[in-house]
Amino acid sequence: MKIGGVHYRTIWPSEDGGAAVCVIDQTKLPHEFNTVWLETLDEAARAISTMQVRGAPLIGVTAAYGLCLALTKNASDEGLDGACATLAATRPTAVNLRWALGQMRAALQPLPPAERAAAAYAKAAQMADEDAETCRLIGQHGQKTIADIAARKGTRVNILTHCNAGWLACVDWGTALSPIYHAHNAGLPVHVWVDETRPRNQGAALTAFELGAHGVPHTIIADNAGGHLMQHGQVDLCIVGCDRMTAMGDAANKIGTYLKALAAKDNGVPFYVALPESTIDWTISDGVREIPIEERSPGEVTHMTGLAENGEVLTVQVTAPGSHAANPAFDVTPARLVTGVMTERGIAPASREGLLQLFPERADHARA
Ligand code: MRU
């Protein structure tokens, strides 16, 4: 996608064959567009845990490149094991992290150590390309759902999204936002309600930024406004991303997604989850019991960061001193609240049968 007319992906290796890897520092958006070079395993792990990079697919690709950086220093079996363990510990909920490390390990373990670093860079680049293509396909399939509503309604389609599941969360295109970009590019009249997404404001800071950069009409709303808008017929469709989906179709996504799905169900608004297959954890079936939910620092709730009138970016406390805060970062939307899943292979019901219609080769090990 483009920023100021320049095409960017969210991550790319240096041109000398990958001594370092560059990412967009998402903690600085939307006020500053900064890129940072990651040169070591620890820098890559820190970029993931501090959320300089975030979003399930991008976390996976960053971990793949983090492994490349580690193997240039130590490509022994112990080096590979240690680097995988360090990266796997950064964030617990998005299963793309485990998936990406599994893919990398399967490709690298059989090789002699001297060949591992070069092979790792080739594999990470391939994963980045595949992620971009997968997201493009999610958009192509999802666009049809938007086009159907536009044809039926005859006026603009209002789509609500939560958090950021756009190109900043992936390598390019995004998951939930890809159908919206495709529809907008095809000339369909779309407008996006962007949940601000407290406490870290991924909606207000990132989704609004990237929709604006692409010229997609959008309006930021407080997280609590969605139900009201749905009651008044102002939401035609919800599309959200996902950090981990069970084999039965339960979907973990940014905290607050579940409440939007409940409101959508109560108001007859279709609620779609957009995701690549790498976000499906075929080994589990009960999302509420089995998906690990990341607990982040209470400081993300008690404090907010923004642009002061003098142009300085400031962090301020919004709570009384001494008040305790809790910060579960994700929640689980049960499959029964999900109208359908939008994937690179098409759209299906959020159920074991629906997922296996799209990915029949997983039938042998998909949990029931
Ligand atoms: O904590 P974050 O910002 O990494 O959470 C991101 C989300 O919840 C996204 O909706 C999800 O990863 C899907 S990204 C395509």
Side-chain angles (χ1 to χ4, degrees), residues 23-235:
V23 296
I24 298 166
D25 182 353
Q26 300 191 23
T27 62
K28 298 284 189 283
L29 288 171
H31 309 302
E32 293 169 28
F33 184 80
N34 282 351
T35 54
V36 285
W37 286 99
L38 309 176
E39 294 181 359
T40 64
L41 166 68
D42 287 345
E43 285 176 6
R46 204 171 318 118
I48 298 172
S49 55
T50 62
M51 295 176 64
Q52 283 181 312
V53 293
R54 30 68 51 204
L58 180 57
I59 289 170
V61 175
T62 306
Y65 274 115
L67 205 50
C68 299
L69 297 171
L71 293 177
T72 56
K73 306 241 161 37
N74 179 0
S76 65
D77 285 355
E78 298 72 41
L80 181 59
D81 289 348
C84 283
T86 299
L87 290 161
T90 51
R91 293 196 72 192
T93 302
V95 77
N96 305 59
L97 175 61
R98 185 182 83 192
W99 174 87
L101 292 171
Q103 296 276 310
M104 293 292 283
R105 186 189 273 283
L108 302 173
Q109 189 97 60
L111 300 178
E115 291 174 23
R116 284 178 181 164
Y121 278 105
K123 180 72 182 164
Q126 182 195 341
M127 287 168 73
D129 288 347
E130 284 173 2
D131 187 72
E133 175 59 8
T134 295
C135 286
R136 191 185 66 78
L137 291 169
I138 291 171
Q140 254 184 8
H141 293 297
Q143 176 193 343
K144 292 180 199 135
T145 303
I146 300 173
D148 287 348
I149 295 173
R152 208 168 47 239
K153 198 180 167 204
T155 54
R156 80 175 191 181
V157 181
N158 292 306
I159 304 163
L160 183 142
T161 193
H162 191 70
C163 193
N164 173 262
W167 73 272
L168 286 167
C170 305
V171 173
D172 210 343
W173 285 107
T175 56
L177 296 194
S178 185
I180 296 171
Y181 287 129
H182 278 80
H184 173 81
N185 292 349
L188 294 172
V190 290
H191 164 261
V192 185
W193 295 113
V194 178
D195 281 350
E196 60 177 347
T197 319
R198 278 284 287 149
R200 287 190 66 102
N201 293 317
Q202 287 96 327
L206 304 177
T207 298
F209 169 79
E210 59 163 277
L211 289 173
H214 198 73
V216 179
H218 62 279
T219 306
I220 299 166
I221 51 173
D223 287 323
N224 299 325
H228 165 79
L229 293 173
M230 290 184 209
Q231 284 177 324
H232 289 270
Q234 294 189 62
V235 182

Side-chain angles (χ1 to χ4, degrees), residues 284-336:
I284 58 173
S285 57
D286 182 334
V288 173
R289 283 166 204 266
E290 294 181 279
I291 296 178
I293 299 295
E294 178 179 11
E295 282 284 339
R296 293 190 62 86
S297 158
E300 294 180 352
V301 176
T302 57
H303 290 67
M304 285 184 81
T305 299
L307 193 64
E309 277 179 6
N310 66 2
E312 248 183 276
V313 175
L314 292 180
T315 298
V316 295
Q317 184 167 342
V318 292
T319 56
S323 288
H324 293 288
N327 190 9
F330 298 92
D331 59 24
V332 173
T333 299
R336 67 188 152 75

